[in-house]
Amino acid sequence: MADVAERAGVSTSTVSRTLRGLSTVSPEVRARVEKAARELSFAVSRQAASLVTGRTGTVAVMVPTLNSWFTGSALSSLAPLLRAAGLQLNVYEIPDLDERTAFFEHLPARRNADALLVFSFDLTEEETARLDDLGMPVIYVSQHVDGRPSVYVDDVAGALHGTRHLLNLGHRRIAFVPTEGASGFTFSSNERLLGYQQALTEAGVPLDDDLVVSTRTGSKRAAAEALGTLLSLREPPTAVFAEQDEVAVALVWNLRRTQIAVPERVSVLGFDDQPLADWFDLSTVAQSPSEMGRLAGELALKLIDDSDGDHERHIVLPTHVIPRGTTAPVAERATAPVEAGATVPVDVGATTRAATAAARDGQSASSASE
Amino acid sequence: MADVAERAGVSTSTVSRTLRGLSTVSPEVRARVEKAARELSFAVSRQAASLVTGRTGTVAVMVPTLNSWFTGSALSSLAPLLRAAGLQLNVYEIPDLDERTAFFEHLPARRNADALLVFSFDLTEEETARLDDLGMPVIYVSQHVDGRPSVYVDDVAGALHGTRHLLNLGHRRIAFVPTEGASGFTFSSNERLLGYQQALTEAGVPLDDDLVVSTRTGSKRAAAEALGTLLSLREPPTAVFAEQDEVAVALVWNLRRTQIAVPERVSVLGFDDQPLADWFDLSTVAQSPSEMGRLAGELALKLIDDSDGDHERHIVLPTHVIPRGTTAPVAERATAPVEAGATVPVDVGATTRAATAAARDGQSASSASE
DNA sequence: CTGAAAGCGCTAACAA
DNA sequence: TTGTTAGCGCTTTCAG
């Protein structure tokens, strides 16, 4: 910076003022300084600047993985926002418990960022507390943390509407397939399970633990096992609601391989609406991670500027049921004699009411928690 | 740090030495300092440290998008490597030409990182030159830049082997479907086209420009158009080699919707081997972005430590043909009377030879450019 | 093995 | 509007 100052024939203060765009610089001097800076291809060292301003010009994000639709979409909409605000994006990828322990041990973000965005981690009380005195705003993304700024989707409502969609199609034996994530990493399992149960209860359908079978994500084999468990029940389900699209697709894949027609014999519903769902024409409950990334970013910017402001601290995003080709009205059981004994009698009146309700379904889901 | 020093009853120099793990500290004092640091949950400010060391402790990456299989995989294997080395990961997402111009205008990475990894950008001479005097090692990932450290896949060989696989199955009318990316962003189109042409030439199959039809990525509709062009040729192809899995899958999707059996009537081959390929049982040419991320990271670490060292500056990764369910021997044309007039006579001897060669194909491809 | 002192490159008062 | 001065928090000589 001294070089620039010398070349432009001014003091370093003036150079600093010019480069930060302060208005208290005469146009003539400004031009001279900018020219000199360009010629020397000078760039301010954020390190040095932050030393005195106390701001790092950096936002840190903590993500379980960089290699997922969710994280990718969210960061992709967060990044331009930060760039526009002149902030850097710093990524901490914490794929497992070891790394996580190490992260909380040292909290490397301390003093090295102006805000931290925590993605999809199911933190302990203690961990949350540690983040509390990190000395910077911490925003929780895709999760709800009491009393802290959070941006998340209404998973209960999403699962509720999804399950209603299946009920409205006449299904009564509806399975739910949650994902057993790596411990400590939440994928909203509990809340989605809750929504599923709520929908059944409000429809007067008894809960049946046999219909809840968990699986691992990203494994066709694991999905096959879960499916096997369900298909070998005394009364197998006519519809399966998977907690994640990937699992739903694995179920469809396995069902079709076994010549069990989807959706004719079994309906399958996912949750997420990632691109894979579209490829497989999967009915699903959509959420928007890019919207979450954007809103979390905006919240972060606000909190950095004025961390005591009375901003809305909890942002809840809606979900939308997207009916595609893997959900259909429950089959007439007469045509499937093999499983005849396993079938719940369908009350025709209910089916009619269901059809009517189904017509409204997309809409009512759209307005969920808005 | 002064607080820690006071609490431990030592000078700040000693605290600094302890926290940096220098061996010139007595065990007793070390223990005291570490205790004090923990109690105050003190973390060194990289900003202040870098001001005097001249190192930022940060590696910057420039990526076209964060929301893709390729970037996600690569960064996912890069991140732990950097973390293990105590380095931060700074991401610049440059999705379009405007952002790109802005990036090169200001080069925000200057003085704010110890190395820069440039992903998949088709840079101009001028841009490369600007990066040259950035004052830090610059590593090019997924692209070949003369005279600069680069990590990339042998696209020519990959496409060559992929095409050979199709030739070995008896195909003679083989189409190639490149992707017209956003201008300035390369997806190795040219090199893959080259490999395709080489394979045809070495097999004595004349090149036919009509068989090269480009499309956009991520659009079923665009794929349908490209397909339409090919299927309405006087002599339509019996096999299609797409430059990217996503396009290949879109082609399969459209073909099946039109009741054109894949692979019985038309074989389809992709390039990438992303998860989608597995879902669709797509034959493809595999590359490994995670391997690329890892190697690029290691190279970056080496170059940071000693930027004049005689490290291998160009790392070329192999590709592997993965035969799955969308490629098969060319159909006997007698069974397809509709297109009989459009069929190239198949020399039985060639088919036999091809079958033999096909058996070797996986192997020969595996050893490509290793 | 430890401490004192100098200074990294910048910004923020304060003066002019 | 501009320049002078005093640090920001750390590391690194250099003494001891």
Side-chain angles (χ1 to χ4, degrees):
Chain A
M1 183 174 254
D3 296 346
V4 178
E6 191 181 9
R7 189 180 190 101
V10 295
S11 71
T12 58
S13 317
T14 303
V15 174
S16 173
R17 281 192 274 258
T18 306
L19 265 31
R20 277 179 297 147
L22 299 192
S23 55
T24 63
V25 181
S26 72
E28 181 207 8
V29 173
R30 168 175 297 277
R32 239 183 320 142
V33 172
E34 280 171 349
K35 181 158 169 286
R38 206 172 318 111
E39 287 168 356
L40 297 172
S41 49
F42 172 83
V44 169
S45 158
R46 299 180 105 90
Q47 330 290 328
S50 75
L51 196 54
V52 36
T53 59
R55 284 195 174 194
T56 62
T58 293
V59 168
V61 304
M62 177 183 171
V63 298
T65 174
L66 280 164
N67 192 13
S68 77
W69 163 74
F70 189 92
T71 316
S73 307
L75 292 185
S76 231
S77 69
L78 173 65
L81 213 105
L82 296 181
R83 279 250 348 293
L87 294 170
Q88 313 251 345
L89 174 60
N90 222 294
V91 177
Y92 295 97
E93 193 191 32
I94 318 279
D96 55 43
L97 271 172
D98 282 355
E99 299 263 13
R100 180 163 163 176
T101 310
F103 181 85
F104 279 99
E105 186 91 14
H106 300 104
L107 286 185
R110 185 189 296 280
R111 305 224 273 151
N112 294 299
D114 297 337
L116 173 66
L117 270 53
V118 180
F119 274 69
S120 330
F121 287 91
D122 189 12
L123 301 185
T124 64
E125 287 280 323
E126 194 194 331
E127 286 168 335
T128 310
R130 289 225 61 192
L131 295 183
D132 281 342
D133 54 28
L134 200 48
M136 67 181 79
V138 177
I139 291 115
Y140 295 85
V141 184
S142 191
Q143 68 194 301
H144 169 114
V145 182
D146 280 335
R148 279 81 164 192
S150 313
V151 180
Y152 52 92
V153 103
D154 191 339
D155 282 302
V156 178
L160 178 74
H161 287 95
T163 309
R164 274 199 202 143
H165 168 54
L166 295 171
L167 287 163
N168 291 342
L169 289 171
H171 296 278
R172 287 299 173 272
R173 294 289 289 169
I174 301 174
F176 185 75
V177 181
T179 312
E180 39 189 41
S183 77
F185 297 91
T186 183
F187 290 95
S188 320
S189 283
N190 291 336
E191 309 217 317
R192 292 184 190 172
L193 177 59
L194 213 65
Y196 155 80
Q197 291 170 334
Q198 271 183 26
L200 293 184
T201 303
E202 79 178 16
V205 176
L207 300 183
D208 180 349
D209 285 348
D210 287 345
L211 287 176
V212 178
V213 180
S214 67
T215 187
R216 279 174 297 118
T217 190
S219 161
K220 286 177 183 167
R221 173 55 197 261
E225 288 176 15
L227 198 57
T229 306
L230 290 170
L231 294 182
S232 57
L233 286 179
R234 211 160 175 298
E235 296 184 26
T238 61
V240 184
F241 187 3
E243 186 208 318
Q244 290 178 49
D245 279 349
E246 245 179 277
V247 170
V249 168
L251 292 171
V252 171
W253 193 92
N254 279 293
L255 282 164
R256 294 215 168 121
R257 192 170 62 162
T258 322
Q259 313 279 349
I260 299 180
V262 177
E264 290 79 5
R265 274 179 84 99
V266 178
S267 284
V268 177
L269 181 65
F271 201 120
D272 278 348
D273 196 29
Q274 64 177 93
L276 195 59
D278 188 38
W279 284 116
F280 273 84
D281 200 25
L282 178 75
S283 298
T284 192
V285 180
Q287 66 168 325
S288 171
S290 64
E291 193 65 4
M292 253 159 85
R294 197 176 60 73
L295 290 167
E298 285 172 359
L299 185 52
L301 294 182
K302 276 186 204 151
L303 292 174
I304 288 173
D305 274 350
D306 127 56
S307 59
D308 298 322
D310 57 339
H311 311 294
E312 195 191 347
R313 296 311 238 270
H314 268 55
I315 301 178
V316 184
L317 289 161
T319 54
H320 305 270
V321 173
I322 311 281
R324 289 204 187 92
T326 59
T327 47
V330 70
E332 296 296 327
R333 271 342 166 124
T335 66
V338 173
E339 281 173 26
T343 305
V344 177
V346 173
D347 153 20
V348 177
T351 308
T352 312
R353 287 193 301 277
T356 316
R360 284 196 316 266
D361 197 53
Q363 277 199 14
S364 62
S366 298
S367 63
S369 57
E370 275 181 324
Chain B
M1 183 175 258
D3 297 345
V4 178
E6 191 180 9
R7 190 179 190 100
V10 294
S11 71
T12 58
S13 316
T14 302
V15 174
S16 172
R17 281 192 272 259
T18 305
L19 266 31
R20 276 177 300 145
L22 300 192
S23 56
T24 63
V25 181
S26 71
E28 181 207 8
V29 172
R30 166 174 298 277
R32 238 184 320 143
V33 172
E34 280 172 348
K35 181 157 170 286
R38 208 173 316 112
E39 287 167 359
L40 297 171
S41 50
F42 173 82
V44 169
S45 158
R46 300 180 105 89
Q47 329 291 328
S50 75
L51 196 54
V52 37
T53 60
R55 284 195 174 195
T56 61
T58 293
V59 168
V61 304
M62 176 182 171
V63 298
T65 175
L66 281 165
N67 192 13
S68 77
W69 162 76
F70 189 92
T71 316
S73 308
L75 292 186
S76 231
S77 68
L78 172 65
L81 212 104
L82 296 181
R83 278 251 347 293
L87 294 171
Q88 314 251 346
L89 174 60
N90 221 294
V91 177
Y92 295 98
E93 191 190 35
I94 318 280
D96 55 43
L97 271 171
D98 281 356
E99 300 262 14
R100 180 164 164 175
T101 309
F103 181 85
F104 279 99
E105 187 91 15
H106 299 105
L107 286 186
R110 184 190 298 278
R111 303 225 273 153
N112 293 298
D114 297 338
L116 174 66
L117 269 53
V118 180
F119 274 68
S120 330
F121 286 92
D122 190 13
L123 300 185
T124 64
E125 288 279 323
E126 195 193 331
E127 286 168 335
T128 310
R130 288 225 63 192
L131 295 182
D132 281 341
D133 55 26
L134 200 48
M136 67 181 78
V138 177
I139 292 114
Y140 295 85
V141 184
S142 191
Q143 69 195 299
H144 168 115
V145 181
D146 281 335
R148 280 81 164 191
S150 312
V151 180
Y152 52 93
V153 102
D154 190 340
D155 283 302
V156 178
L160 178 74
H161 287 95
T163 310
R164 274 198 202 144
H165 168 55
L166 295 170
L167 287 163
N168 290 342
L169 290 171
H171 296 279
R172 288 298 173 272
R173 292 291 289 170
I174 302 174
F176 185 76
V177 181
T179 313
E180 40 189 38
S183 77
F185 299 91
T186 181
F187 289 95
S188 320
S189 283
N190 292 335
E191 309 216 319
R192 293 184 189 171
L193 177 59
L194 213 65
Y196 155 80
Q197 291 170 333
Q198 272 183 25
L200 294 184
T201 303
E202 78 179 15
V205 176
L207 301 182
D208 181 348
D209 285 348
D210 287 345
L211 288 175
V212 178
V213 180
S214 67
T215 186
R216 278 174 298 118
T217 190
S219 162
K220 286 177 185 168
R221 173 55 196 262
E225 287 177 15
L227 198 57
T229 306
L230 290 170
L231 295 181
S232 57
L233 287 179
R234 211 159 177 295
E235 297 183 27
T238 60
V240 185
F241 188 2
E243 187 208 317
Q244 290 178 49
D245 280 349
E246 244 179 276
V247 171
V249 168
L251 292 170
V252 171
W253 192 91
N254 279 293
L255 282 163
R256 294 215 169 121
R257 191 170 63 163
T258 323
Q259 313 278 349
I260 299 179
V262 176
E264 290 80 4
R265 272 180 85 99
V266 178
S267 285
V268 177
L269 181 65
F271 201 119
D272 277 350
D273 196 30
Q274 65 177 92
L276 195 59
D278 188 38
W279 283 116
F280 274 84
D281 200 23
L282 178 74
S283 299
T284 192
V285 180
Q287 65 168 325
S288 171
S290 64
E291 193 64 4
M292 252 159 85
R294 197 176 60 73
L295 290 168
E298 286 172 359
L299 185 52
L301 294 182
K302 276 187 205 151
L303 291 175
I304 287 172
D305 274 350
D306 126 56
S307 60
D308 298 321
D310 56 339
H311 311 293
E312 195 190 347
R313 295 310 238 272
H314 268 55
I315 300 177
V316 184
L317 289 159
T319 55
H320 305 270
V321 172
I322 311 282
R324 290 204 186 91
T326 58
T327 47
V330 71
E332 296 295 329
R333 269 351 173 111
T335 67
V338 173
E339 281 173 28
T343 304
V344 177
V346 175
D347 153 19
V348 176
T351 308
T352 311
R353 287 194 301 278
T356 316
R360 284 196 317 265
D361 197 52
Q363 278 199 11
S364 62
S366 297
S367 62
S369 57
E370 273 182 322

